[in-house]
Each structure stands twice: as C-alpha cells, then as structure tokens.
Amino acid sequence: MKTGLFASSAVALLLTAAAAGAQSLSFGVGVTSDYISRGASQTNNGPAIQPWAEYENSGFYAGVWASNVDLGTDNVEIDLYGGYRWSAGDTNFDIGYARYFYDDSGDCCGEVYLLVDHTIGEGASAFAGVYMDIDVGLTFTDAHVGVSVPLFSGLSGSARLGVTPGNNVYANAGVSYDINDSFSVDLRAYRSTSTGPQYVVSTAFSF
C-alpha cells in the first residue's frame, strides 16, 4: 500500500507539472525476456514489462519506472528518481537520486548517482557511472564503464563492464536496432562472476 500511494503521488506530481507548462513529459514501456540488474536476474530468468514516465524542464527531471519481479515475496518494483542533466562541450552529465520500492517489503533503499557520457566520434560515445547508498553513509553500490558505437543505419553496438560490492564483476554486450524514433529492439549477452551466460531480447517503445 505504501508503495502504491507513493508511486501514485509521483505520477500526479508529474502530470500537474506538465499541465503548468512543462518542457517535456514523456512515457514509454519496455518488454524484456529477462530483467537483469548488475548481472543478476530480478525475475528468476522470466520476462518483464516495464512502464515509465518522466518529466523534464531546463535540465531538471523526475520520473517513475516499474517492473514485475520475482524476489521472494515481492512481485512488483517501483523506482522513483529525479535529478539534473547538463552538458559541457562533448560531455553530458547526470546527477540524481533514485528510491526503490517493492509491493510486499516496501521501501527498500535509495542511491545517489553520477553518470557521464562523452562523444568520442561520429555517433560513438564512452560512458561511466557510480552509485552510492546514502542510507548507510554513502556506501558504494555500483560503478561501471562502457562504450556505444554506431554500426550502420539504425543499428548500434554497446558494451558495459561494472562492479558491485563483494567484487562481483558483471558485463554485457549487444546490439540495438531503432526501427523508428519511438520503437527499438535490443539483443544482449550478460555475464557476471556469480552467474553464467544469459541472453536477453528486449523491446522499448516511447512517446
């Protein structure tokens, strides 16, 4: 109940801000054969549907993202997040905070994050990010680096390498195809020190 009320309030806030003259309000939904986060399946190797909504104005943004999960007694995850994005030359920055809720266990935890994306060529970029848990005194929870490269019209390749507490190293690599401005398909291979190879196909639709 707590999760549902919190998420409903966030959506209402986004819609109110949009009505007041927001710069942009976007929505979307993803469908994936397996919801994998930091190398570990959150759906016991099953599929997931992941709707989201985000409001942005002058670099400031707030959003809500959700997914079905299979984590003990929890079947639904809802993430609330917000922050600020800006650019300096060929480099984009994103600093923000995300809070994670579940339908049975409720308020789980929160993280502050810093993401950086730098253009390194015609359509190519290198990116990195770090996440810290502020509930227990800025404890490191994730760091990653990666690269994205265009292959040919509509098709791009990308890879990511990350580490989480306990020296769990994870990686993924795959290709994405943009069918149009609103719809894309992604095929990706995942591997971590705690799991074997996993292959996932996902689609994303936004408007």
Side-chain angles (χ1 to χ4, degrees):
M1 178 65 70
K2 178 180 179 182
T3 302
L5 289 174
F6 205 110
S8 298
S9 298
V11 172
L13 178 61
L14 293 177
L15 294 176
T16 301
Q23 185 181 40
S24 66
L25 180 62
S26 53
F27 301 87
V29 62
V31 178
T32 181
S33 61
D34 192 357
Y35 167 22
I36 296 180
S37 176
R38 299 171 184 173
S41 175
Q42 308 298 296
T43 49
N44 194 25
N45 302 313
I49 299 177
Q50 301 169 332
W52 59 269
E54 183 179 289
Y55 162 71
E56 183 173 2
N57 193 345
S58 302
F60 294 96
Y61 65 90
V64 56
W65 180 93
S67 179
N68 60 286
V69 296
D70 187 356
L71 299 172
T73 58
D74 289 314
N75 296 304
V76 178
E77 173 187 345
I78 298 176
D79 302 347
L80 303 179
Y81 63 92
Y84 181 68
R85 302 181 181 115
W86 75 99
S87 300
D90 293 331
T91 306
N92 302 312
F93 299 90
D94 183 346
I95 186 168
Y97 177 74
R99 194 83 194 174
Y100 311 115
F101 300 86
Y102 295 89
D103 59 320
D104 185 62
S105 56
D107 184 353
C108 162
C109 43
E111 296 175 312
V112 293
Y113 56 84
L114 173 63
L115 308 176
V116 181
D117 184 291
H118 179 71
T119 300
I120 56 177
E122 187 66 31
S125 65
F127 57 88
V130 62
Y131 290 76
M132 307 284 286
D133 186 343
I134 66 172
D135 291 342
V136 288
L138 284 178
T139 302
F140 159 78
T141 52
D142 175 80
H144 65 265
V145 295
V147 63
S148 177
V149 180
L151 300 176
F152 54 84
S153 181
L155 186 70
S156 62
S158 63
R160 176 183 298 208
L161 177 66
V163 61
T164 60
N167 293 319
N168 176 54
V169 178
Y170 65 91
N172 70 68
V175 293
S176 298
Y177 181 66
D178 295 329
I179 296 175
N180 53 46
D181 291 340
S182 301
F183 185 65
S184 64
V185 178
D186 183 271
L187 178 62
R188 194 156 299 274
Y190 292 81
R191 185 71 185 264
S192 76
T193 52
S194 58
T195 62
Q198 299 163 285
Y199 303 96
V200 177
V201 59
S202 305
T203 62
F205 178 77
S206 61
F207 57 96

